[in-house]
Amino acid sequence: MALSASDVAAMYSLLSNSMNADHLLRRPAEEALAQSESRPGFCSCLIEVITAKDLASQVDVRLMATVYFKNNVNRYWRQRRNSSGISNEEKMHLRQKLLMHLREEDDQIALMLAVLISKIARIDYPKEWPDIFLVLSQQLQSADVLASHRIFMILFRTLKELSTKRLTSDQRNFAEISSRFFDYSWRLWQSDVQTILHGFSALSQSYNSNAEDQHHELYLTYSSFQKQYPKLWDFVMRASTKLMKILVAFQGRHPYSFGDKFVISSVMDFCLNKITDPEPYLLSFEQFLIQCMIMIKNILECNQYKPSLTGRVIDENGITLEQMKKNISGAVGGVLTSLLPNERIVFLCNVLITREPFVLPNKLAGEVRNEIDCGFDNSAQLGLNLLTLDVQPQVKICLVCMIVLVDLSGVVGEVMTRPWASEKTALVKSVTRIFTCVMWRYFVLTARDLEEWYRNPEAFHHEQDMVQWTEKLRPCAEALYIILFENNSQLLAPVVVSLLQETMNNCPTSVTEITPALLLKDAAYGAASYVYYELSNYLSFKDWFNGALSHELSNEHPNLRIIHRKVAVILGQWVSEIKDDTKRPVYCALIRLLQDKDLSVRLAACRSLCLHIEDANFSEREFIDLLPICWDSCFTLVEEVQEFDSKVQVLNLISILIGHVTEVIPFANKLVQFFQKVWEESSGESLLQIQLLVALRNFVIALGYQSPICYSILLPILEHGIDINNPDELNLLEDSMLVAVNIIEDYIILGGNDFLGMHATSIAKILDLVVGNVNDKGLLSVLPVIDILIQCFPMEVPPFISSTLQKLIVICLSGGDDCDPSKTSVKASSAAILARLLVMNTNSLAQLASDSSTSLLLQAASIPVQENILLCLVDIWVDKVDHVSSIQKKTIGLALSIILTLRLPEVIDKVDQILSVCTSVILGGKDDLTEEESRLAFCA
């Protein structure tokens, strides 16, 4: 029964009760709302609640209504087979109502309404909602400030939503929208910017009207302005960051246009200056600096700015587009050379890694020494004196901090004439770290970093090593450093090696205090680890490991966790440079780090061990006796970590160990117990269970014919994973299927005729149930089973699975895969199976192709067949041969060769295509995919 206007009051009551803390009121309301979701008129009632003027103050109820509205759009706006959905008449009413309510005063509700409009526009524009942009633009002409803001929010959300559509027609529609709005937006932008700048100028003049020296410039960099106008300050910084993002996007999309010397030189010089000498106000706005770094990195690695290796054809008339691009690339190369001479490259490298700490002037050092000797009796006056110094603001901050907080013996050397009193020792240790963070260094750990590490080592590990490099300042600086080094390795390698040696000399392996020297060494270690490939020609890993790294690992002071963690990273990054005589001590070092007291160190060692075990030169002989302690350390680590990412990382190491070492069976019982415990503790965490299924799959493969010893845990897990009534089945089904398929494949190969005799009927039922009733990923997971069955039993199996094979013929001859890579993979893989059947049992495929039931299936699928089905398959083999693995190509080649022996006149018309495929298969190619690579590609 449809809902109407008379139900709006009841709908309001249900929404209100659904947020009630009393479950006796909340649960019935939630159930009633759930039952109403599929009823016609539900969304119409919701929008009446959202837009009712007398409910303007009921923000929580109206916001809840927008949430239900959005969920209903996601579920019922599109017409589906199992649901009548929302009628076209109600959709039209909702679209009109949404565009009539643009002056929503509450920000949260306005945002949700913008999201709603964008979701609907993604589905309905342009066919069902062609005038949405016309209506919005017309209302924008005469709108007030609030309505303008809401309309721009809607436009932003809607354009962003439409830009993600990838079909050619959708992209063409988006191009039309862009051409319609760009000129208007650009003119509006210019006008607004002029207004804003005029306002800033008037504000700065008013703010400095009493100043003796008027410069008539914006004083936005002064901290007093930041404190007096915090909202305006925040707007300026967010706007600046957004502008930098626009420039970054423009450079990525239109590199040649951006390559104009007046554009690229100005932008790049600006970004370099901000990175190498950031003003104090930028210290709290990392996002702006991140965008500056992204810009420099993108320019340095842009392929369009690299020298072209192609030449120009002699006597070529005019300048071609390619020649124009080449000219621009050459011009940009000249600009980059002028902006980044060698000395500036070295300077930028040093800035990214570290800067030398400043030294106090003698006169000032004397004043500070006197203050210390006097017990800080006049520290306030000295602080005021420091603020008048003609130095950078961040230096002033450092100096003032030093009076009260900093261990001067670690900063100014001989200025310190006597030790501090014993009661100040704790203060000295803690504020040494504070001073280190005040100096602007990108690689050096700050006091805030160390505090976060102390508080939560797991979160610190993932923040440093697993975050997207575009989101945090240090990973972004590291990414910029890597591309800078790769482009200038011969210039920078000696610089980094020298810095590494200097920091090791300044901070011997026996040091246990967290001093600036220790943090600088940690930064230098990081710089050396990130560019191992280019640096290996200048630095011997064996000498480095034996001379410093191994000695530092023997220092078990808690503060050395900083260096231990970085050593763990180095051992993983330099894996390709670790030769045979060093492998054993490195393996031992990583196992020791895996048992460290600090979780961040252990997780770093866990990741590095994965890299070593997966390495092509992994030496199981050198590692085999470390396996017991490695297993136990992994089991213990899984129990001690709390975060999901940590558990996944350790499970990944266990899975890799199982897949790469031969000595698994002696530890099988321990592993079974471990998997059982983890599975029980991971209830409700489907993503963690997926990782566990991957490990179990490797476990089954490693056990081979002894795999039944793990069935006590494996079979209940698989039964749970493939249960379609299980709430987590969407998350677990695919990985559970892969495990089950691996088991079936092994039984087919190892069980032989005995297995076939016992289970042929069951296997045939399973295949018939799966093929034609699951999505492309599900098909790709089960097709290898059919292929193996035909390989092992080419005569016995086809009669059992004839229904499944007929479905494969239907898949091959159906269309719709031109713009769908997954369907292409399914069709190509199915065609390869049928080709194998032709090669190994020609009569069986011929019988299937001529069977009337096959023709009926094709007719039911609306697939017209103008000629012999077998000849139709020939066209598919010819067409899809480039989409299969190397072995499958050979199978198709053999099948086509057999086709040539058939006395069918239609084959003559296809001879040239068949011979072309056969010739290419015979000649082969270096880029052929392996069977496993092809299968992985199909499942991607």
Side-chain angles (χ1 to χ4, degrees), residues 231 305 319 373 406 408 540 700:
K231 289 187 177 180
Y305 300 156
I319 299 179
D373 290 336
V406 179
L408 295 176
S540 167
V700 170

Side-chain angles (χ1 to χ4, degrees), residues 808-877:
L808 294 187
I809 293 176
V810 173
I811 290 172
C812 288
L813 300 186
S814 61
D817 66 308
D818 293 338
C819 299
D820 192 335
S822 62
K823 289 189 180 302
T824 300
S825 299
V826 169
K827 183 180 286 190
S829 190
S830 301
I833 291 174
L834 295 174
R836 184 180 298 281
L837 179 59
L838 178 65
V839 172
M840 304 189 76
N841 191 340
T842 305
N843 292 333
S844 178
L845 183 60
Q847 183 178 350
L848 278 174
S850 59
D851 196 316
S852 59
S853 60
T854 305
S855 300
L856 291 175
L857 277 177
L858 291 170
Q859 291 176 13
S862 301
I863 301 173
V865 178
Q866 304 297 334
E867 57 183 348
N868 186 299
I869 291 176
L870 193 58
L871 293 175
C872 293
L873 288 175
V874 171
D875 294 333
I876 300 299
W877 290 327

Side-chain angles (χ1 to χ4, degrees), residues 787 828-829 832 836 880-892 921 927-938:
D787 196 29
S829 190
R836 184 180 298 281
K880 302 302 177 186
V881 68
D882 292 329
H883 297 274
V884 296
S885 69
S886 177
I887 293 176
Q888 289 172 324
K889 283 182 180 179
K890 294 174 182 177
T891 304
I892 290 175
V921 170
D927 58 344
D928 285 345
L929 293 176
T930 64
E931 187 83 32
E932 182 64 20
E933 288 171 338
S934 176
R935 183 172 175 177
L936 291 174
F938 289 163

